[in-house]
Amino acid sequence: MEINVDDKNRLVSVWLSKAEKEDQSIKSQLQPLYDNYHSQKYKVGVFLSGGESLFELSKDLLLHNRYKEAKMRENVR
């Protein structure tokens, strides 16, 4: 588990690995963390590791966005 606290923006990011997201003891540790930061008016976000390739998904997203941008530029001319 990785916890990042951004005091300036009052944000807390909690990152869980594939193994941690299934572990009940880890989940039970999160509730006190939520309670503590919510009482201080922080927003808490929990990010769970996925099962797919981050590289492939990012590549596909970038290619899709470049395609959309090219189409949009065609319509502008």
Side-chain angles (χ1 to χ4, degrees):
M1 177 176 3
E2 182 180 328
I3 301 171
N4 299 311
V5 179
D6 178 354
D7 291 315
K8 180 181 175 188
N9 295 306
R10 304 184 76 75
L11 297 171
V12 179
S13 302
V14 180
W15 297 84
L16 300 179
S17 68
K18 290 178 190 175
E20 291 169 332
K21 73 179 183 181
E22 303 298 328
D23 188 336
Q24 281 304 117
S25 66
I26 297 290
K27 288 182 181 180
S28 66
Q29 292 174 20
L30 292 176
Q31 191 60 52
L33 181 119
Y34 298 149
D35 295 340
N36 177 41
Y37 282 106
H38 279 290
S39 70
Q40 298 177 53
K41 306 281 192 236
Y42 278 67
K43 299 252 187 212
V44 179
V46 178
F47 300 90
L48 308 174
S49 180
E52 296 184 45
S53 168
L54 179 60
F55 175 79
E56 288 299 320
L57 292 174
S58 298
K59 179 187 70 145
D60 292 344
L61 178 62
L62 290 169
L63 288 171
H64 174 76
N65 288 343
R66 289 193 74 189
Y67 173 79
K68 282 178 49 177
E69 182 180 354
K71 283 293 192 186
M72 187 174 66
R73 286 183 182 193
E74 273 181 16
N75 292 334
V76 170
R77 293 180 185 175

